[in-house]
């Protein structure tokens, strides 16, 4: 008797089959599921020493790996699980700390490093889903995101939150529309 149902290997369209202008992608994550999806989509997987998926993850190592990957890749997916895990614990204080850590130890160094590049990357920051610290579970709904590039003008949104995002310039019915926007913006930058 097997604990797992019989089945075959999963398939997923590659990044390049859906977006021919994107030739090379990289995933940086401590989460096997994210790495597996990335591998199926044709992404290179970069493992970072000390990456745990928790609040003690190696933020600086992930930022350094992302900066290096941005130099040779069309897209880099840097996934940090820590805020989600803090939400599943119902620990709002830890969730806020992990978000602050991402801001200070990941986003700021990436923005600082890439600012002087002759062709700076388009950077999109977003969670993969909403996880409530109250219910400790994933919640339905649109996630907030922010897009950053020196050539883009900001919209009127002043804070990064679900409620503020509803006032943003871009609203999507389908999740693939964000990827379409990223590819379109990247061509124009």
């Amino acid at each position: 008797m097997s604990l797992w149902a019989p089945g075959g290997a999963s398939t997923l369209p590659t990044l390049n089959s859906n977006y021919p202008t994107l030739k090379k992608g990289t995933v940086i994550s401590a989460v096997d599921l994210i790495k597996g999806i990335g591998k199926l989509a044709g992404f290179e997987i970069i493992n970072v020493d000390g990456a745990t998926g928790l609040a003690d993850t190696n933020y600086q190592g992930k930022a350094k790996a992302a900066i290096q990957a941005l130099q040779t890749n069309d897209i880099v997916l840097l996934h940090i699980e820590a805020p989600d895990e803090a939400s599943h614990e119902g620990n709002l204080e830890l969730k806020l700390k992990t978000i602050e850590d991402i801001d200070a130890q990941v986003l700021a160094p990436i923005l600082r490093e890439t600012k002087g590049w002759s062709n700076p990357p388009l950077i999109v920051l977003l969670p993969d889903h909403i996880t409530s610290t109250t219910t400790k579970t994933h919640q339905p709904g649109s996630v907030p995101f922010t897009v950053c590039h020196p050539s883009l003008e900001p919209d009127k949104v002043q804070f990064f939150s679900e409620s503020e995002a509803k006032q943003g310039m871009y609203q999507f019915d389908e999740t693939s529309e964000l990827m379409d926007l990223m590819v379109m913006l990247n061509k124009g930058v």
Side-chain angles (χ1 to χ4, degrees):
M1 182 172 157
S2 172
L3 295 176
W4 299 101
S10 297
T11 60
L12 190 69
T14 63
L15 173 72
N16 182 256
S17 67
N18 284 335
Y19 299 96
T21 60
L22 300 178
K23 305 295 183 202
K24 187 175 176 190
T26 295
V27 170
I28 302 164
S29 178
V31 177
D32 289 336
L33 175 65
I34 302 299
K35 290 190 237 184
I37 292 169
K39 188 170 181 84
L40 286 173
F43 284 63
E44 172 191 5
I45 308 303
I46 295 178
N47 295 305
V48 173
D49 288 340
T52 65
L54 301 172
D56 66 349
T57 196
N58 181 356
Y59 295 104
Q60 298 92 347
K62 286 184 174 185
K64 183 178 178 183
I67 291 165
Q68 288 177 316
L70 283 166
Q71 295 175 37
T72 58
N73 286 262
D74 299 309
I75 186 168
V76 175
L77 171 64
L78 172 55
H79 177 262
I80 300 175
E81 183 72 4
D84 184 58
E85 290 300 321
S87 295
H88 286 302
E89 293 175 17
N91 189 335
L92 178 60
E93 185 176 307
L94 182 59
K95 181 177 184 174
L96 293 173
K97 181 180 182 330
T98 62
I99 292 169
E100 290 169 352
D101 288 344
I102 291 168
D103 187 45
Q105 298 178 52
V106 179
L107 189 58
I110 291 172
L111 291 173
R112 194 171 38 250
E113 178 69 28
T114 60
K115 184 177 183 179
W117 289 6
S118 60
N119 187 18
L122 174 71
I123 295 176
V124 181
L125 174 72
L126 70 154
D128 52 357
H129 50 72
I130 300 167
T131 307
S132 167
T133 55
T134 304
T135 64
K136 302 179 186 179
T137 61
H138 298 166
Q139 302 294 306
S142 299
V143 298
F145 69 92
T146 187
V147 180
C148 178
H149 190 271
S151 68
L152 299 175
E153 292 293 324
D155 62 15
K156 63 183 179 178
V157 174
Q158 298 295 308
F159 302 99
F160 188 72
S161 71
E162 288 88 351
S163 59
E164 280 288 308
K166 292 176 185 172
Q167 310 306 312
M169 183 183 307
Y170 301 105
Q171 303 296 320
F172 302 119
D173 294 324
E174 299 292 328
T175 55
S176 62
E177 292 177 88
L178 176 58
M179 188 67 185
D180 294 341
L181 173 69
M182 289 170 44
V183 170
M184 180 199 69
L185 288 173
N186 199 43
K187 284 181 184 177
V189 295

